[in-house]
Amino acid sequence: AGGFLRGLPPPTTPYHCDSIPAAMLAVKRAFEGRSSAAEEPPPKPTTTRGGLQVRFTAKLTEALELVSRSPRGLLAAATIGGSVTFVDGSDLSLLGATEELHEDPPNAVAWAAGGETLLLAGEDGIARVVSVASRSVVRSHAVREEPEAGKRPRCHPVSRLAVLGDGAFEFSASFVAAAGRVAHCYRLSDGTLEHVCELTSPVHALCAAPRGEPLHWAYALAVKGCVRLVSRAGATVHELQIGSVVRSLSPHALAKARAICRRSLAAALSGRQLARRHLAGTRRS
């Protein structure tokens, strides 16, 4: 066997990879079936916090107050400065932010129109409708109680929001905003006030009826001592008496409770009818 270059004697010791030049190492890799191209970079390192794997991190300019996810995977991050930043949920890239809407962060947020509209519950008693495309406020609604004679209207913070109807279509959806002892129902398309629900105590919880089920009520309000089921027109359909204060509501659980109440009422009425028939037969005999 000859040497690698003409005029050089053959080596007396075997070749080692660490003594072969870079060009010859590339040839060796080609003969071994390995590519000399640069290997793919290692995957992005991840960290684990609280048992969850953190894949992406988005840094905001202010402290975060709350986060809500839309049906399309968009994230709305509300900061303590009163602005909302929209983030792509797939890679946490920042898509833009609204201007400072209020000096305080929103108490609650809700998505409507399939994720194209964001509702904000303000500490100043204002319910704001924000367009995700323009990242600006489209409409503002003051949710306040009717003032007493000779007194100024009291301003309570908007604490609860619920979207009614088919939230995927703006023209057929409405939303309810609760503040203090009053709840306003607005049409989402033009902001028309559909009805006002006045209560005797502050609202502790609010939820919309489950979609796709034939129910006679549109949303539920939890106040002191009871849960009120309200129709789309604003009429009270039923009241569920509860001894303790309710802080959260589940629409499916309420639907089941409503069905149980109906069955209990039907059983009570049938029992009364049987008792009356038995009493009438006893009198005849």
Side-chain angles (χ1 to χ4, degrees), residues 16-187:
H16 299 281
C17 293
D18 53 358
S19 62
I20 301 177
M24 299 305 299
L25 182 59
V27 175
K28 183 177 183 296
R29 287 179 176 178
F31 278 102
E32 292 179 352
R34 293 187 297 176
S35 174
S36 60
E39 298 180 357
E40 295 182 359
K44 186 177 181 180
T46 59
T47 59
T48 302
R49 297 179 182 177
L52 301 177
Q53 191 177 42
V54 180
R55 298 182 58 188
F56 304 101
T57 302
K59 294 184 179 181
L60 305 179
T61 57
E62 296 176 317
L64 187 63
E65 181 69 19
L66 57 87
V67 178
S68 179
R69 182 180 182 274
S70 73
R72 299 182 179 180
L74 189 67
L75 300 178
T79 62
I80 60 173
S83 62
V84 177
T85 301
F86 296 101
V87 184
D88 189 346
S90 61
D91 57 1
L92 289 191
S93 59
L94 302 180
L95 302 179
T98 64
E99 58 183 5
E100 184 176 337
L101 306 177
H102 190 255
E103 60 183 8
D104 296 319
N107 295 321
V109 299
W111 293 94
E116 297 180 359
T117 302
L118 183 67
L119 308 177
L120 304 177
E123 186 71 19
D124 55 349
I126 303 295
R128 295 174 174 85
V129 181
V130 178
S131 172
V132 177
S134 61
R135 295 184 288 276
S136 60
V137 177
V138 179
R139 282 178 295 275
S140 299
H141 306 282
V143 185
R144 296 175 182 174
E145 304 174 8
E146 288 293 333
E148 299 179 3
K151 295 184 178 180
R152 296 180 179 180
R154 299 179 61 183
C155 179
H156 296 277
V158 180
S159 57
R160 302 289 187 273
L161 293 170
V163 179
L164 312 181
D166 190 356
F169 301 97
E170 185 175 2
F171 61 85
S172 62
S174 302
F175 74 94
V176 179
R181 299 179 299 178
V182 67
H184 288 187
C185 181
Y186 298 96
R187 190 181 305 160

